[in-house]
Amino acid sequence: MSEMKGRELFGHCGLEVVEGQVPATLPAARQAVGITFGGTDPAVVVPLAATDLSDRVDEAWLRLAREHDVVDGAGRFLIATPMDGPWVPVRLGGEVRLAENLTGNHGKPGHAEFVTMALDGSVMCGVTTEDEEVWLVLDRDRIQQPPPPPPDMEAARAATRRLRERRSRG
């Protein structure tokens, strides 16, 4: 996503993009996305059948984000969309409309897909749409752990070769 398109999209969400660099020491947005999608129990669940789905998801996100200091006193935090990353520093600048606009691959309004994190990386809140619900996942612990190392591709290839050899011997 271009910077201009990002600013426009976040503007529709009620956010202002804040100038400045995101420290390289923060957990990667991909790690927060993995926590959101990867088996963490949700802090809040909103049924997809709920009336005013977008509003209910936004209200739940804003409540969690403020209660757990994802959003600081000046309304600032980091946000990433799972498809595009990276972390973008933003500030609340109007009516929050995240769930209506950050919907992943052509999702319906309310079928939200995004992650947010405190500016210091201490806590994250991710939002994802599951089969019949929107999950809001809050995490302080897993986000602080180093991501797992990349797989040892040479060892995996060697194991595959050994398996093929055994099958061919038969």
Side-chain angles (χ1 to χ4, degrees):
M1 169 180 357
S2 73
E3 184 177 335
M4 189 56 110
K5 281 189 177 252
R7 285 181 182 277
E8 184 178 327
L9 175 62
F10 292 134
H12 289 301
C13 295
L15 305 175
E16 299 171 10
V17 175
V18 178
E19 297 302 322
Q21 294 295 317
V22 175
T25 57
L26 291 178
R30 181 176 289 303
Q31 184 177 354
V33 170
I35 291 168
T36 302
F37 297 161
T40 303
D41 289 331
V44 174
V45 172
V46 180
L48 287 179
T51 57
D52 300 328
L53 177 62
S54 292
D55 291 337
R56 289 187 58 192
V57 171
D58 286 332
E59 288 167 9
W61 173 81
L62 190 57
R63 181 181 50 77
L64 277 176
R66 285 186 169 148
E67 285 175 4
H68 295 276
D69 299 320
V70 172
V71 174
D72 72 10
R76 298 174 304 170
F77 59 99
L78 301 170
I79 190 165
T81 60
M83 295 69 58
D84 298 317
W87 290 118
V88 177
V90 294
R91 174 183 12 247
L92 297 172
E95 183 180 0
V96 174
R97 305 299 305 160
L98 301 175
E100 181 179 316
N101 293 289
L102 301 179
T103 59
N105 292 327
H106 312 294
K108 298 175 187 173
H111 293 223
E113 299 287 345
F114 62 92
V115 291
T116 57
M117 187 166 62
L119 293 173
D120 65 1
S122 62
V123 60
M124 51 105 5
C125 183
V127 180
T128 186
T129 301
E130 298 299 323
D131 293 333
E132 297 180 16
E133 304 163 322
V134 178
W135 286 16
L136 289 87
V137 174
L138 190 69
D139 178 79
R140 285 186 185 279
D141 300 321
R142 291 178 60 197
I143 196 69
Q144 300 307 318
Q145 298 170 4
D152 181 345
M153 294 308 294
E154 191 52 44
R157 287 184 189 109
T160 301
R161 284 191 299 272
R162 287 191 300 274
L163 182 59
R164 284 186 190 144
E165 288 171 7
R166 277 187 290 209
R167 284 186 177 170
S168 68
R169 284 186 251 147

